[in-house]
Amino acid sequence: MAKLFFGMNQSLDGYVDHLEFRPSPVLFRHFIEQARDLTGSVYGRRLYEVMRYWDEDDPEWNAELREFAAAWRRQPKWVVSRSLKSVGPNATLVEDDLEAVIRGLKARLAGEIEVGGPDLARSLADLGLIDEYRLYLHPVVLGRGTPFFAGPRPPLRLVASDLMDEDTIRLTYVPA
């Protein structure tokens, strides 16, 4: 049975914004390895459209960026959207019955499936489908933006804390 987790970079005040701060080289290496090991990813429309950046090679990318792109392209993706009419390579559009689709993936697959996007994570948390939350806390305060938790924080229990690099800690929680 697959484990469904929601993890994102987050400011100290609880916001996610990939344009405001970036992972260090050490943390980016962690994300490359994580992407390589994933069974797949489930995205909401907005984050999927951001991540489509990795579908096309950029001649200015360094080796690490190319490595991440290759790992991202390899994994299956399920995109939850009622407005998209099609999705890119190695992706499946999920328009209806989110709960049945995700329960089916968890039952049929092994390994880890990442959830991409706070709004989608909230919907899946409301359905009791998220098995783990990974908060990568960065030493920045944004004061605005998209919160990691799109709604009320579900009851959680801390199971691990890991120093990822000199400034970033990963807190791992499971539903309480």
Side-chain angles (χ1 to χ4, degrees), residues 87-154:
V87 290
N90 209 13
T92 302
L93 184 59
V94 177
E95 298 176 279
D96 297 306
D97 209 357
L98 175 64
E99 182 175 9
V101 169
I102 301 305
R103 285 192 189 283
L105 291 173
K106 287 179 70 172
R108 187 175 83 245
L109 301 173
E112 292 188 331
I113 301 171
E114 180 179 27
V115 174
D119 293 328
L120 176 59
R122 178 183 182 183
S123 296
L124 294 171
D126 290 347
L127 294 169
L129 294 172
I130 295 187
D131 300 301
E132 192 171 276
Y133 296 84
R134 298 175 188 169
L135 290 73
Y136 293 85
L137 289 175
H138 292 259
V140 296
V141 175
L142 298 179
R144 60 173 166 59
T146 302
F148 182 91
F149 290 103
R153 191 189 81 210

Side-chain angles (χ1 to χ4, degrees), residues 5-174:
F5 77 90
F6 173 52
M8 292 188 82
N9 291 306
Q10 168 182 318
S11 65
L12 289 176
D13 55 345
Y15 295 106
V16 296
D17 188 336
H18 72 282
L19 297 176
E20 293 291 332
F21 54 93
R22 300 204 186 287
S24 69
V26 170
L27 188 56
F28 192 67
R29 169 58 45 200
H30 164 77
F31 290 134
I32 292 169
E33 292 167 9
Q34 177 178 277
R36 187 180 300 128
D37 294 340
L38 285 175
T39 296
S41 294
V42 180
Y43 288 103
R45 178 194 53 81
R46 284 188 299 255
L47 187 56
Y48 175 69
E49 289 176 338
V50 169
M51 295 299 289
R52 291 286 315 264
Y53 168 79
W54 300 105
D55 273 339
E56 300 293 327
D57 285 328
D58 183 327
E60 296 189 18
W61 284 350
N62 63 25
E64 288 79 21
L65 295 174
R66 286 191 297 279
E67 191 176 354
F68 180 84
W72 188 81
R73 290 175 192 157
R74 179 203 55 77
Q75 64 177 266
K77 292 164 270 304
W78 296 272
V79 182
V80 179
S81 174
R82 290 190 182 98
S83 60
L84 289 176
K85 299 302 176 212
S86 65
V87 290
N90 209 13
T92 302
L93 184 59
V94 177
E95 298 176 279
D96 297 306
D97 209 357
L98 175 64
E99 182 175 9
V101 169
I102 301 305
R103 285 192 189 283
L105 291 173
K106 287 179 70 172
R108 187 175 83 245
L109 301 173
E112 292 188 331
I113 301 171
E114 180 179 27
V115 174
D119 293 328
L120 176 59
R122 178 183 182 183
S123 296
L124 294 171
D126 290 347
L127 294 169
L129 294 172
I130 295 187
D131 300 301
E132 192 171 276
Y133 296 84
R134 298 175 188 169
L135 290 73
Y136 293 85
L137 289 175
H138 292 259
V140 296
V141 175
L142 298 179
R144 60 173 166 59
T146 302
F148 182 91
F149 290 103
R153 191 189 81 210
L156 301 173
R157 181 173 53 85
L158 181 68
V159 294
S161 60
D162 303 289
L163 187 60
M164 302 304 293
D165 63 18
E166 62 189 36
D167 292 328
T168 307
I169 189 168
R170 177 181 61 195
L171 300 174
T172 304
Y173 292 91
V174 295

